[in-house]
Amino acid sequence: MRKPLVVGNWKMHGNSAENAALLEGLLNTELGTADVAVCPPSIYVAQVAEKLKASAMGWGVQNISAVEKGAYTGEISAPMAKDLECKFAIIGHSERRTLFGEVDKDVADKFVAAQQAGLTPIVCVGENLAEREAGETLTVVGRQLGAILAALSAGQVDGFVIAYEPVWAIGTGRTATPDQAQEVHKFIRDQLAAISAELAENIQILYGGSVKADNAEALFANPDIDGGLVGGASLLVDQFVAICRAAG
Ligand code: PEP
Protein backbone atom coordinates (compact mmCIF):
# COMPACT_ATOMS: atom_id res chain seq x y z
CA MET A 1 0.00 0.00 0.00
CA ARG A 2 1.18 3.51 -0.80
CA LYS A 3 1.38 5.80 2.21
CA PRO A 4 -0.22 9.23 1.66
CA LEU A 5 2.27 12.09 1.45
CA VAL A 6 1.80 15.84 1.75
CA VAL A 7 4.66 18.17 0.87
CA GLY A 8 4.65 21.92 1.42
CA ASN A 9 6.48 23.96 -1.20
CA TRP A 10 7.22 27.27 0.48
CA LYS A 11 8.63 28.77 -2.73
CA MET A 12 10.44 32.09 -2.09
CA HIS A 13 8.53 32.92 1.09
CA GLY A 14 9.41 33.21 4.74
CA ASN A 15 12.14 34.47 7.01
CA SER A 16 13.67 33.09 10.20
CA ALA A 17 10.91 34.37 12.45
CA GLU A 18 8.03 33.38 10.15
CA ASN A 19 9.52 29.92 9.55
CA ALA A 20 9.91 29.35 13.28
CA ALA A 21 6.30 30.34 13.93
CA LEU A 22 4.98 28.14 11.12
CA LEU A 23 6.99 25.12 12.24
CA GLU A 24 5.99 25.61 15.87
CA GLY A 25 2.37 25.63 14.75
CA LEU A 26 2.82 22.37 12.86
CA LEU A 27 4.82 20.71 15.61
CA ASN A 28 2.17 21.54 18.19
CA THR A 29 -0.71 20.10 16.19
CA GLU A 30 -1.84 16.59 15.36
CA LEU A 31 -1.16 16.16 11.65
CA GLY A 32 -2.71 12.72 11.15
CA THR A 33 -1.10 9.65 9.66
CA ALA A 34 0.17 10.85 6.28
CA ASP A 35 3.86 11.44 5.76
CA VAL A 36 4.51 15.20 5.82
CA ALA A 37 7.45 17.27 4.61
CA VAL A 38 8.23 20.90 3.89
CA CYS A 39 10.54 22.39 1.28
CA PRO A 40 11.77 25.83 2.38
CA PRO A 41 14.05 28.12 0.39
CA SER A 42 17.45 26.43 0.53
CA ILE A 43 18.97 29.16 2.69
CA TYR A 44 16.58 28.07 5.46
CA VAL A 45 17.05 24.31 5.18
CA ALA A 46 19.43 24.23 8.15
CA GLN A 47 16.93 26.13 10.30
CA VAL A 48 14.13 23.76 9.30
CA ALA A 49 16.32 20.68 9.83
CA GLU A 50 17.17 21.83 13.34
CA LYS A 51 13.51 22.44 14.19
CA LEU A 52 12.19 19.20 12.69
CA LYS A 53 14.97 16.74 13.45
CA ALA A 54 13.17 15.25 16.46
CA SER A 55 9.81 15.09 14.67
CA ALA A 56 8.23 12.75 12.14
CA MET A 57 8.20 15.53 9.53
CA GLY A 58 10.75 15.53 6.75
CA TRP A 59 12.21 18.35 4.68
CA GLY A 60 13.62 18.95 1.26
CA VAL A 61 14.75 21.48 -1.32
CA GLN A 62 12.83 23.09 -4.16
CA ASN A 63 15.54 22.63 -6.79
CA ILE A 64 19.04 21.23 -7.20
CA SER A 65 21.80 21.48 -9.73
CA ALA A 66 22.29 18.55 -12.07
CA VAL A 67 26.02 18.63 -11.35
CA GLU A 68 27.75 17.60 -8.18
CA LYS A 69 30.12 20.52 -7.63
CA GLY A 70 32.11 23.18 -9.41
CA ALA A 71 32.02 26.78 -10.60
CA TYR A 72 28.22 27.23 -10.69
CA THR A 73 27.59 30.44 -8.78
CA GLY A 74 24.31 30.47 -6.92
CA GLU A 75 23.53 26.78 -7.35
CA ILE A 76 23.20 24.06 -4.71
CA SER A 77 23.98 20.42 -5.36
CA ALA A 78 22.14 17.24 -4.47
CA PRO A 79 24.95 16.07 -2.14
CA MET A 80 24.69 19.43 -0.29
CA ALA A 81 20.97 18.86 0.24
CA LYS A 82 21.71 15.33 1.42
CA ASP A 83 24.36 16.72 3.77
CA LEU A 84 21.58 18.69 5.50
CA GLU A 85 19.53 15.48 5.70
CA CYS A 86 16.97 16.50 3.13
CA LYS A 87 14.73 13.64 2.12
CA PHE A 88 13.18 15.26 -0.95
CA ALA A 89 14.17 17.43 -3.89
CA ILE A 90 11.39 18.98 -5.97
CA ILE A 91 12.43 18.62 -9.61
CA GLY A 92 10.97 20.29 -12.70
CA HIS A 93 8.42 22.50 -10.96
CA SER A 94 6.52 24.45 -13.61
CA GLU A 95 8.02 27.71 -12.27
CA ARG A 96 11.49 26.26 -12.94
CA ARG A 97 10.39 25.22 -16.41
CA THR A 98 8.70 28.50 -17.38
CA LEU A 99 10.74 31.13 -15.48
CA PHE A 100 14.17 29.48 -15.64
CA GLY A 101 13.95 27.67 -18.96
CA GLU A 102 14.32 24.12 -17.68
CA VAL A 103 13.51 21.54 -20.34
CA ASP A 104 12.77 17.82 -20.02
CA LYS A 105 16.46 16.93 -20.39
CA ASP A 106 17.44 19.25 -17.49
CA VAL A 107 14.72 17.72 -15.35
CA ALA A 108 15.90 14.19 -16.18
CA ASP A 109 19.51 15.12 -15.35
CA LYS A 110 18.43 16.59 -12.00
CA PHE A 111 16.34 13.49 -11.34
CA VAL A 112 19.42 11.29 -11.78
CA ALA A 113 21.56 13.64 -9.66
CA ALA A 114 19.00 13.57 -6.85
CA GLN A 115 18.75 9.80 -6.85
CA GLN A 116 22.51 9.36 -6.98
CA ALA A 117 22.82 11.54 -3.87
CA GLY A 118 20.19 9.51 -2.03
CA LEU A 119 17.42 12.09 -2.25
CA THR A 120 13.87 11.25 -3.29
CA PRO A 121 13.01 13.41 -6.30
CA ILE A 122 9.47 14.79 -6.50
CA VAL A 123 9.10 15.20 -10.24
CA CYS A 124 6.52 17.76 -11.34
CA VAL A 125 4.60 17.34 -14.57
CA GLY A 126 1.61 19.21 -15.91
CA GLU A 127 0.09 21.04 -18.83
CA ASN A 128 -0.56 24.76 -19.21
CA LEU A 129 -3.95 26.24 -20.01
CA ALA A 130 -3.42 26.44 -23.77
CA GLU A 131 -2.33 22.81 -23.83
CA ARG A 132 -5.38 21.71 -21.83
CA GLU A 133 -7.73 23.70 -24.03
CA ALA A 134 -6.11 22.18 -27.13
CA GLY A 135 -6.76 18.68 -25.73
CA GLU A 136 -3.03 18.04 -25.32
CA THR A 137 -2.94 17.31 -21.59
CA LEU A 138 -2.04 13.64 -21.80
CA THR A 139 0.44 14.21 -24.63
CA VAL A 140 2.31 16.85 -22.62
CA VAL A 141 2.26 14.89 -19.38
CA GLY A 142 3.28 11.73 -21.25
CA ARG A 143 6.24 13.54 -22.81
CA GLN A 144 7.42 15.03 -19.49
CA LEU A 145 7.02 11.70 -17.73
CA GLY A 146 8.71 9.80 -20.56
CA ALA A 147 11.89 11.83 -20.07
CA ILE A 148 12.00 10.67 -16.46
CA LEU A 149 11.09 7.07 -17.09
CA ALA A 150 13.86 6.85 -19.68
CA ALA A 151 16.31 7.82 -16.92
CA LEU A 152 15.19 5.07 -14.54
CA SER A 153 17.70 2.41 -13.73
CA ALA A 154 16.67 -1.10 -14.64
CA GLY A 155 14.33 -2.79 -12.18
CA GLN A 156 13.84 0.34 -10.09
CA VAL A 157 10.57 0.02 -8.20
CA ASP A 158 10.55 3.08 -5.99
CA GLY A 159 12.71 5.99 -4.90
CA PHE A 160 10.79 8.81 -6.50
CA VAL A 161 7.48 10.66 -6.31
CA ILE A 162 5.50 12.26 -9.13
CA ALA A 163 3.45 15.42 -8.71
CA TYR A 164 0.79 16.19 -11.28
CA GLU A 165 0.47 19.96 -11.24
CA PRO A 166 -1.69 21.52 -13.96
CA VAL A 167 0.06 24.86 -14.52
CA TRP A 168 -3.27 26.67 -14.85
CA ALA A 169 -4.15 25.63 -11.28
CA ILE A 170 -0.92 26.66 -9.57
CA GLY A 171 -1.31 29.74 -7.40
CA THR A 172 -4.44 30.75 -9.32
CA GLY A 173 -7.13 29.52 -6.95
CA ARG A 174 -8.39 27.32 -9.81
CA THR A 175 -8.21 23.64 -8.92
CA ALA A 176 -8.58 20.68 -11.24
CA THR A 177 -11.81 18.91 -10.40
CA PRO A 178 -11.28 15.58 -8.65
CA ASP A 179 -12.31 13.84 -11.91
CA GLN A 180 -9.88 15.88 -14.02
CA ALA A 181 -7.06 15.14 -11.58
CA GLN A 182 -7.91 11.45 -11.26
CA GLU A 183 -7.94 11.07 -15.06
CA VAL A 184 -4.36 12.32 -15.34
CA HIS A 185 -3.17 10.43 -12.26
CA LYS A 186 -4.57 7.22 -13.71
CA PHE A 187 -2.84 7.97 -17.00
CA ILE A 188 0.46 8.45 -15.14
CA ARG A 189 0.00 5.21 -13.23
CA ASP A 190 -0.76 3.38 -16.47
CA GLN A 191 2.52 4.70 -17.93
CA LEU A 192 4.34 3.36 -14.88
CA ALA A 193 2.52 0.02 -15.22
CA ALA A 194 3.76 -0.29 -18.78
CA ILE A 195 7.26 -0.51 -17.26
CA SER A 196 6.40 -2.61 -14.24
CA ALA A 197 3.32 -3.40 -12.18
CA GLU A 198 5.39 -3.07 -9.03
CA LEU A 199 6.55 0.40 -10.04
CA ALA A 200 2.94 1.49 -10.66
CA GLU A 201 1.86 0.07 -7.32
CA ASN A 202 4.68 1.72 -5.33
CA ILE A 203 5.01 5.23 -6.70
CA GLN A 204 3.13 8.00 -4.91
CA ILE A 205 1.47 10.43 -7.30
CA LEU A 206 0.66 13.76 -5.64
CA TYR A 207 -1.75 16.40 -6.91
CA GLY A 208 -0.68 20.04 -6.84
CA GLY A 209 -2.52 23.18 -7.86
CA SER A 210 -4.43 25.30 -5.34
CA VAL A 211 -4.97 22.46 -2.88
CA LYS A 212 -6.77 23.99 0.11
CA ALA A 213 -8.46 22.81 3.28
CA ASP A 214 -11.82 22.79 1.55
CA ASN A 215 -10.94 20.77 -1.55
CA ALA A 216 -8.26 18.39 -0.25
CA GLU A 217 -10.58 15.64 0.92
CA ALA A 218 -12.42 15.37 -2.41
CA LEU A 219 -9.12 15.26 -4.32
CA PHE A 220 -7.44 12.73 -2.02
CA ALA A 221 -10.49 10.43 -2.11
CA ASN A 222 -9.50 9.33 -5.62
CA PRO A 223 -7.73 5.98 -5.95
CA ASP A 224 -4.69 7.32 -7.82
CA ILE A 225 -4.19 10.53 -5.81
CA ASP A 226 -1.77 9.74 -3.00
CA GLY A 227 -1.54 13.17 -1.40
CA GLY A 228 -0.58 16.70 -2.35
CA LEU A 229 2.18 19.10 -3.25
CA VAL A 230 0.95 22.30 -1.66
CA GLY A 231 2.14 25.84 -2.35
CA GLY A 232 0.28 28.81 -0.88
CA ALA A 233 -1.73 26.84 1.67
CA SER A 234 1.44 25.31 3.13
CA LEU A 235 2.34 28.73 4.57
CA LEU A 236 -0.75 28.79 6.79
CA VAL A 237 -0.79 26.45 9.79
CA ASP A 238 -4.54 25.85 9.83
CA GLN A 239 -4.72 25.22 6.10
CA PHE A 240 -1.73 22.91 5.97
CA VAL A 241 -2.83 20.94 9.01
CA ALA A 242 -6.29 20.41 7.50
CA ILE A 243 -4.74 19.24 4.22
CA CYS A 244 -2.42 16.82 6.02
CA ARG A 245 -5.33 15.42 7.99
CA ALA A 246 -7.41 15.03 4.82
CA ALA A 247 -4.63 12.88 3.35
CA GLY A 248 -4.33 10.37 6.16
C1 PEP B 1 3.02 24.50 -6.22
O1 PEP B 1 3.65 25.49 -6.48
O2 PEP B 1 3.60 23.39 -6.23
C2 PEP B 1 1.61 24.64 -5.93
C3 PEP B 1 0.85 23.59 -6.04
O3 PEP B 1 1.16 25.89 -5.56
P1 PEP B 1 -0.30 26.31 -5.06
O4 PEP B 1 -0.75 25.24 -4.08
O5 PEP B 1 -0.14 27.64 -4.44
O6 PEP B 1 -1.17 26.31 -6.27
Side-chain angles (χ1 to χ4, degrees):
M1 272 305 284
R2 297 179 297 276
K3 191 155 184 215
L5 171 66
V6 177
V7 179
N9 172 13
W10 291 1
K11 308 194 185 190
M12 200 170 73
H13 292 290
N15 57 41
S16 304
E18 288 173 2
N19 302 344
L22 175 54
L23 293 173
E24 282 302 320
L26 298 179
L27 288 168
N28 290 323
T29 314
E30 177 53 54
L31 294 179
T33 57
D35 283 338
V36 176
V38 296
C39 296
S42 54
I43 197 165
Y44 294 122
V45 167
Q47 179 196 12
V48 169
E50 183 58 31
K51 282 260 178 212
L52 296 186
K53 67 182 180 198
S55 81
M57 267 186 280
W59 56 91
V61 286
Q62 301 170 14
N63 177 41
I64 51 162
S65 169
V67 295
E68 208 178 308
K69 61 179 163 182
Y72 298 96
T73 301
E75 292 287 275
I76 61 158
S77 72
M80 290 172 186
K82 185 68 183 170
D83 187 32
L84 290 190
E85 296 176 69
C86 288
K87 174 154 178 55
F88 297 105
I90 299 173
I91 304 286
H93 190 279
S94 68
E95 286 151 19
R96 300 294 318 171
R97 294 181 192 254
T98 56
L99 302 175
F100 300 96
E102 289 188 13
V103 297
D104 291 342
K105 162 93 172 73
D106 302 317
V107 180
D109 289 347
K110 291 181 179 203
F111 175 83
V112 172
Q115 286 203 319
Q116 282 176 348
L119 301 169
T120 299
I122 301 173
V123 184
C124 302
V125 297
E127 81 288 1
N128 63 31
L129 188 58
E131 290 162 342
R132 173 156 283 265
E133 287 177 344
E136 293 167 358
T137 297
L138 300 185
T139 309
V140 170
V141 170
R143 191 205 72 226
Q144 294 170 336
L145 185 63
I148 295 303
L149 297 184
L152 280 187
S153 27
Q156 182 166 19
V157 291
D158 57 14
F160 66 101
V161 173
I162 295 170
Y164 168 56
E165 299 207 304
V167 180
W168 49 271
I170 295 178
T172 59
R174 284 185 69 179
T175 318
T177 65
D179 286 351
Q180 284 175 322
Q182 167 59 23
E183 182 197 10
V184 182
H185 281 236
K186 166 92 169 59
F187 168 78
I188 293 170
R189 203 168 308 281
D190 287 348
Q191 306 302 300
L192 298 173
I195 296 180
S196 121
E198 211 181 343
L199 186 71
E201 188 50 40
N202 286 347
I203 295 302
Q204 293 152 312
I205 308 175
L206 311 183
Y207 171 78
S210 298
V211 178
K212 309 282 181 211
D214 61 3
N215 60 24
E217 206 171 313
L219 286 160
F220 300 161
N222 288 277
D224 292 300
I225 301 183
D226 303 315
L229 180 56
V230 185
S234 72
L235 300 169
L236 303 168
V237 174
D238 290 353
Q239 281 280 326
F240 196 57
V241 167
I243 293 166
C244 294
R245 287 184 185 161

